[in-house]
Amino acid sequence: MVEDQIRRRGIRDERVLSAMEEVPRHLFVPEEIRHLAYTDAPLPIGEGQTISQPYIVAEMTAALRLSGTEKVLEIGTGSGYQTAILARLCRELETIERLPSLSADARVRLATMDIGNVTFVVGDGSLGSPGHAPFDRILSAAASPSVPAPWVSQLSEGGVIVLPVGDRYEQELTRVTLRCGRTETEVLGGCRFVPLVGMYGFHR
Ligand code: SAH
């Protein structure tokens, strides 16, 4: 999977590639479709949600440019697959999921993998996590019509947000960097994610 789907498509960050080699994706998909775990596609994880395509997880993780010292906020825990990868690449991670059952399952998976630097929160991640800000990086695996204002205000100087921005059906993977109090925005490419459902995302 890492060679064919990720390295070959141009992801060169060795830390990201080895984290993806170490986290077994089959532990994050439902038992009935476990044989599909290493295919080049998103897969259903229940509750109408999906585990992202491996390449997209790699692309978003690489776009964050993590060195290992960062405090990170992830929105949309889902299966916990990207959570497990991010946890290996940063100092401290908080992950927010709006659906309690997904969050609970992800928490169990990461506990069995002995990952200890992650805090799981159930709630509306479009609000960020004001009590624990600032964050050096914010990553969203759910698509938003615009960059939620609370995320920008909870970002540290030099910090980076990576998220899909667009309508409910198609989006652009977007990187926002905060420099000297101003945001710089880059579009990294087209993508398709489930919607961010919440106060600063889409309404139900
Ligand atoms: N990276 C995850 C992707 C999960 S899909 C994985 O690979 O498994 C995105 C997740 O965002 C879904 O689980 C969805 O329930 C969640 N989500 C949507 N809106 C949210 C919100 N406002 N706050 C937190 N989580 C949200």
Side-chain angles (χ1 to χ4, degrees), residues 134-177:
F135 295 94
D136 304 310
R137 302 288 187 268
I138 299 177
L139 177 135
S140 176
S144 181
S146 59
V147 183
W151 299 359
V152 176
S153 61
Q154 291 168 32
L155 199 59
S156 59
E157 171 57 27
V160 175
I161 306 173
V162 171
L163 82 163
V165 178
D167 62 28
R168 279 176 184 267
Y169 308 102
E170 48 184 331
Q171 307 97 29
E172 283 173 329
L173 190 60
T174 304
R175 173 165 56 201
V176 176
T177 308

Side-chain angles (χ1 to χ4, degrees), residues 49-52 76 78-79 97-99 102 123-125 141 194-197:
Q49 308 303 321
T50 52
I51 177 172
S52 308
S79 66
E97 169 58 55
R98 63 180 274 268
L99 299 171
L102 294 181
D124 177 7
V194 299
L196 179 76
V197 180

Side-chain angles (χ1 to χ4, degrees), residues 120-135:
F120 291 83
V121 175
V122 174
D124 177 7
S126 79
L127 303 168
S129 181
H132 300 135
F135 295 94

Side-chain angles (χ1 to χ4, degrees), residues 41-56:
L43 296 169
I45 54 171
E47 305 250 19
Q49 308 303 321
T50 52
I51 177 172
S52 308
Q53 178 195 15
Y55 173 73
I56 258 295

